[in-house]
Amino acid sequence: MNDPHAEPAAEHDGQQPEDPFTEWQRLDIRSVLASMGLLVVPMLPVAGLVLFPADGSVARPTAGLALALVVFGIGSAWWRWFFTRFRVTAERFELRQGNFSRSFHSIPRERIRSVDLTAPVAHRLLGIAVVRIGTGRKSTRDSELRLDALPTARAERLREQLLRQRSAPAGEAPSERGPGGAAEGTDLARMRPSWYLYSTLTASLLLVTWAALGSALNTLGDLLRALGITSWLVDRLPGSPDSVLAGPSLWIGVLVILLVLLAGGWLGALAISLEMWWGYRLSAESGNTLHVRRGLLTTRAVSLEKRRLRGIELAEPLLLRLAGGGRLTAVATGLGSGSSGRSDNKALLPPAPRRVAERVGAGVLERADGSGGPGNLRRHPRAALRRRMTRAMLVVLVPVGASVAAQLLGPLPWWSSLVAVLLAVPAALFALDAYRNLGHDLHDDLLVTRHGTGVRRTVLLQRNAIIGWRVKQSPLQRLAGLVTMSATTAAGDGHYSVHDVDPSSGLAFADEAVPGLLTPFLRGGSADDGAEREPPAEGGDSAER
Amino acid sequence: MIDTGETPGGVRLRPPHHRVDRRAVLWWGCRAAVAVVVLLVALVLAAWWFTSARGVLLLTLLPVGVLGAGYAVVMPWWRYRVHRWETTDSAVYTASGWISREWRVAPMSRIQTVDTARGPLQRVFGLSTVTVTTASAAGPLSIDGLDHEVASDLAERLTMTTQAVPGDAT
């Protein structure tokens, strides 16, 4: 909605704008209005009182309280707006806030990792956007600064300015600056209607809608009961409850409810995916920044510097994988790690066909041969399959044991343990799938590793982003002759693992991926050059005492 | 001893050069003993409190005590055989664990901070832990149970080396 207005402004200023942010700036006064969105609910009783003047004993104090709340809310929003100033100097971004408790943030511009714009519904109606400035610091208070809010065009300009033409420090990821850099605003991907269907296949969305539906139904049930409709309905039911339970109508009812739940969940998931991904567009701006815009009600504009990008992750939840789709996220520094980081600013591509994901991955990583996918990977030893099978069978043993025990002790029918035993079949299939999904390889400057069955994750990590190796071996892995090799990195989750690999080939792989790092610590086989390097290593040690 | 289950002719990790200080055995032993004693005391207290389950709780005292004593004796020596460390001009290399094992390598150029820390128990034995962090969120390399002098020398040298090399890949 606001995009058509915003873009021309941003492009005009993209050349060499006068810096409009060097003086202390105020936020937009409309942000006070936008913050009133939350206050609509307490205002209802006030409106009610005005429309229907009542002499009630409760109505008047309630309305008074609501009015006080509203006044306080608006007052504090105005107060916050009045005492908030920011400016952008040549070196730093500075933000002053508050009067009672003042805060002053001054961060070097080179530490700004991301500048994201979001516009919730109220903001969009007013034509303003919230600017969030990420500094990439983990777990500290000032990891993110919020400017709530600026007119959308100015917000775009601020983003441009904060991210523009920062001289790249020496020694950082030289591979990303090539002649292959994309031209201004090149589109890498745009939303297609069919992709919304792919998003409904991610289980998390279904679960979210089911949870929402569940609580809604619960509330509905309470409401019906409160109004006496439930008891009225029960009275109208034919016959006694027993006859209803015994008849086939029970099964039909269960089936209908299941179908309704499934359809409802699916529709809800569709609605959520529409909200999340409407108008999605991934573009490479001026060659060094990736830009993602999306959102129907709340619009989000997330930018990511390419020099912060260390790789990509292709996640394929089971259902989506069966439909031949996957979603793409960025592996980048400064976006927060693991679940602590906001996951929504890592998304590069909504659930989409795999082929699209691979093409977009290639575009993002600027791979000349256009292969952003994993291709054929090196397989893992059979011992890894045995390990997974054993694990699956151990899991199945639990219900089998429980059902046998229940039969010995109680009235459970004989076929219950048969059902439990039959669980071994899907368990074995999952184990096999988990094994088949294991893989690792090197593609030019990328390390590729893949694992997982519920969600298959394929990570393509730039080899020069690996800042160490971690080798782990549990006792069971030692018996099976396997190790887990983890490449540690500053980006994303912090480490990406090659699970259950043969030790000698795994070490050779790690040595190949990061030449020279492991070499002094390897022995035997083809690592003869490692043996040659040992003397200097010992020299280094003797110097330390 | 510290093999990774190699096949003949295959590559394997060699153990790092240096063992940790011998006093670390005592330190780990004391730590384990304290944990076991706390557990036993808790069991006794529970037995005193829950009169109905007193018999069972008192019966578990014996196996818990025996296993705990075995743990407190075996684990420190086992760890002492496994825990090793080494620094070269280009990297830090550690081996740790006892039942599960872990080897970590971090290049000098990617080291962010070097800390030494001593807990009260470590102080009794004159030991220190050196912790080396990189930009990765995957956790630092730590070398437990070094002699205090060795540890501070090591930390100082690592700090000097890493200051000389710019960039930490963030």
Side-chain angles (χ1 to χ4, degrees):
Chain A
M1 169 181 169
N2 48 25
D3 289 356
H5 309 296
E7 271 164 41
E11 269 158 35
H12 281 301
D13 291 277
Q15 306 306 318
Q16 188 50 54
E18 74 284 14
D19 279 357
F21 299 105
T22 45
E23 297 298 315
W24 285 104
Q25 306 275 319
R26 277 218 169 125
L27 300 177
D28 195 290
I29 185 72
R30 281 173 287 178
S31 65
V32 177
L33 275 178
S35 70
M36 282 168 56
L38 284 177
L39 296 170
V40 165
V41 178
M43 269 153 114
L44 286 178
V46 182
L49 201 66
V50 170
L51 289 179
F52 310 103
D55 52 343
S57 52
V58 196
R60 218 173 281 273
T62 311
L65 193 68
L67 200 65
L69 256 178
V70 169
V71 168
F72 176 77
I74 293 175
S76 65
W78 180 83
W79 188 266
R80 199 165 45 95
W81 169 82
F82 189 78
F83 287 105
T84 301
R85 305 282 162 87
F86 72 95
R87 70 171 177 183
V88 183
T89 67
E91 296 292 319
R92 309 180 79 84
F93 173 82
E94 296 179 320
L95 176 66
R96 261 180 219 286
Q97 279 173 316
N99 187 33
F100 290 131
S101 64
R102 288 185 187 204
S103 71
F104 178 66
H105 295 277
S106 173
I107 53 174
R109 283 174 65 182
E110 77 207 21
R111 249 189 43 210
I112 295 173
R113 304 286 166 84
S114 60
V115 180
D116 303 340
L117 310 185
T118 47
V121 184
H123 287 70
R124 284 189 66 193
L125 291 175
L126 294 165
I128 54 179
V130 181
V131 182
R132 293 192 294 194
I133 297 171
T135 57
R137 279 194 160 182
K138 283 162 195 154
S139 75
T140 44
R141 206 162 36 83
D142 55 345
S143 66
E144 189 179 270
L145 301 176
R146 272 172 63 96
L147 297 179
D148 184 4
L150 289 179
T152 309
R154 282 189 73 207
E156 291 272 352
R157 228 168 21 236
L158 180 64
R159 182 180 70 78
E160 289 269 318
Q161 196 191 336
L162 287 177
L163 293 179
R164 187 167 26 94
Q165 44 103 7
R166 299 223 318 271
S167 54
E172 282 224 23
S175 69
E176 284 145 18
R177 256 173 304 288
E184 278 224 0
T186 316
D187 271 11
L188 291 169
R190 270 176 186 279
M191 197 68 196
R192 306 223 173 178
S194 63
W195 295 356
Y196 295 115
L197 298 181
Y198 280 97
S199 343
T200 60
L201 292 173
T202 52
S204 53
L205 275 189
L206 284 178
L207 287 180
V208 166
T209 47
W210 275 331
L213 268 182
S215 73
L217 283 179
N218 212 355
T219 319
L220 189 68
D222 286 346
L223 192 68
L224 291 180
R225 210 164 306 132
L227 295 175
I229 293 179
T230 313
S231 53
W232 180 80
L233 270 180
V234 168
D235 289 343
R236 291 297 161 108
L237 276 178
S240 66
D242 292 338
S243 66
V244 173
L245 284 181
S249 58
L250 172 74
W251 293 102
I252 293 172
V254 166
L255 201 68
V256 167
I257 288 172
L258 276 180
L259 279 177
V260 165
L261 269 185
L262 204 63
W266 187 81
L267 281 175
L270 189 65
I272 294 181
S273 83
L274 275 172
E275 205 287 314
M276 278 170 62
W277 295 106
W278 183 265
Y280 157 84
R281 189 181 137 201
L282 170 70
S283 55
E285 288 184 4
S286 54
N288 54 24
T289 310
L290 290 172
H291 197 46
V292 180
R293 289 158 194 275
R294 62 198 177 88
L296 180 62
L297 299 178
T298 297
T299 55
R300 307 159 182 87
V302 177
S303 52
L304 173 70
E305 274 185 287
K306 274 204 175 168
R307 69 187 180 96
R308 303 279 171 212
L309 191 75
R310 295 289 183 269
I312 52 172
E313 180 182 297
L314 176 71
E316 297 161 284
L318 189 60
L319 280 176
L320 190 59
R321 178 151 55 97
L322 290 178
R327 63 187 144 83
L328 214 58
T329 50
V331 174
T333 59
L335 289 184
S337 61
S339 52
S340 67
R342 298 205 323 276
S343 61
D344 62 338
N345 62 3
K346 291 179 202 159
L348 289 177
L349 185 74
R354 228 185 111 90
R355 162 178 58 74
V356 176
E358 291 185 2
R359 183 173 54 73
V360 170
V364 166
L365 293 174
E366 291 177 9
R367 312 252 311 150
D369 56 351
S371 71
N376 289 324
L377 300 181
R378 298 183 207 176
R379 308 301 299 270
H380 289 223
R382 303 289 287 182
L385 174 61
R386 281 196 293 277
R387 197 169 141 74
R388 273 154 188 75
M389 279 294 176
T390 316
R391 234 185 268 163
M393 292 309 119
L394 283 177
V395 167
V396 172
L397 269 187
V398 175
V400 169
S403 69
V404 166
Q407 267 175 75
L408 292 180
L409 297 173
L412 225 61
W414 62 271
W415 48 262
S416 63
S417 40
L418 193 67
V419 171
V421 167
L422 283 179
L423 281 180
V425 175
L429 284 178
F430 273 116
L432 186 65
D433 184 53
Y435 170 70
R436 289 166 58 93
N437 286 346
L438 286 177
H440 63 278
D441 211 339
L442 297 177
H443 290 330
D444 305 332
D445 61 336
L446 294 175
L447 179 147
V448 186
T449 170
R450 190 172 67 190
H451 77 278
T453 173
V455 180
R456 181 168 84 172
R457 294 180 189 281
T458 312
V459 173
L460 284 75
L461 184 68
Q462 284 168 357
R463 279 159 62 186
N464 58 13
I466 298 173
I467 59 172
W469 281 98
R470 206 171 75 175
V471 187
K472 273 191 168 176
Q473 191 173 44
S474 71
L476 288 175
Q477 278 182 313
R478 187 152 56 237
L479 282 179
L482 297 170
V483 291
T484 291
M485 311 272 319
S486 305
T488 59
T489 172
D493 293 344
H495 64 103
Y496 292 96
S497 299
V498 179
H499 294 269
D500 287 340
V501 70
D502 172 66
S504 95
S505 62
L507 288 166
F509 171 74
D511 194 33
E512 192 187 345
V514 189
L517 177 55
L518 281 181
T519 320
F521 311 120
L522 296 179
R523 185 177 278 168
S526 55
D528 289 333
D529 54 339
E532 281 166 29
R533 285 192 205 188
E534 260 183 86
E538 293 190 39
D541 289 331
S542 59
E544 80 207 359
R545 292 302 295 257
Chain B
M1 177 180 64
I2 307 181
D3 281 351
T4 53
E6 84 285 7
T7 47
V11 197
R12 62 199 163 94
L13 279 171
R14 66 167 174 77
H17 277 305
H18 304 292
R19 285 176 189 272
V20 298
D21 198 279
R22 204 167 252 279
R23 281 166 291 170
V25 177
L26 276 175
W27 171 51
W28 285 319
C30 282
R31 227 171 37 167
V34 167
V36 169
V37 166
V38 166
L39 188 62
L40 289 178
V41 168
L43 274 177
V44 169
L45 282 179
W48 178 68
W49 190 256
F50 300 106
T51 43
S52 55
R54 184 170 288 172
V56 181
L57 285 170
L58 288 179
L59 266 182
T60 55
L61 270 185
L62 188 69
V64 167
V66 170
L67 285 177
Y71 166 71
V73 170
V74 172
M75 181 276 288
W77 285 103
W78 199 337
R79 271 196 190 281
Y80 181 65
R81 281 162 53 102
V82 175
H83 278 242
R84 281 162 170 270
W85 61 279
E86 176 179 342
T87 63
T88 68
D89 294 339
S90 59
V92 182
Y93 175 32
T94 64
S96 61
W98 58 300
I99 291 182
S100 295
R101 291 179 192 179
E102 188 172 304
W103 296 261
R104 290 184 179 210
V105 179
M108 283 295 178
S109 56
R110 304 307 176 95
I111 291 174
Q112 278 190 327
T113 64
V114 183
D115 305 330
T116 57
R118 334 174 58 187
L121 201 55
Q122 271 182 307
R123 211 174 287 200
V124 172
F125 295 109
L127 297 172
S128 279
T129 296
V130 174
T131 307
V132 176
T133 61
T134 63
S136 165
L141 283 73
S142 60
I143 312 170
D144 289 336
L146 289 181
D147 178 75
H148 179 56
E149 296 283 307
V150 176
S152 49
D153 281 359
L154 174 65
E156 198 175 322
R157 202 160 38 79
L158 284 178
T159 310
M160 299 258 285
T161 320
T162 51
Q163 270 170 359
V165 191
D168 57 10
T170 48

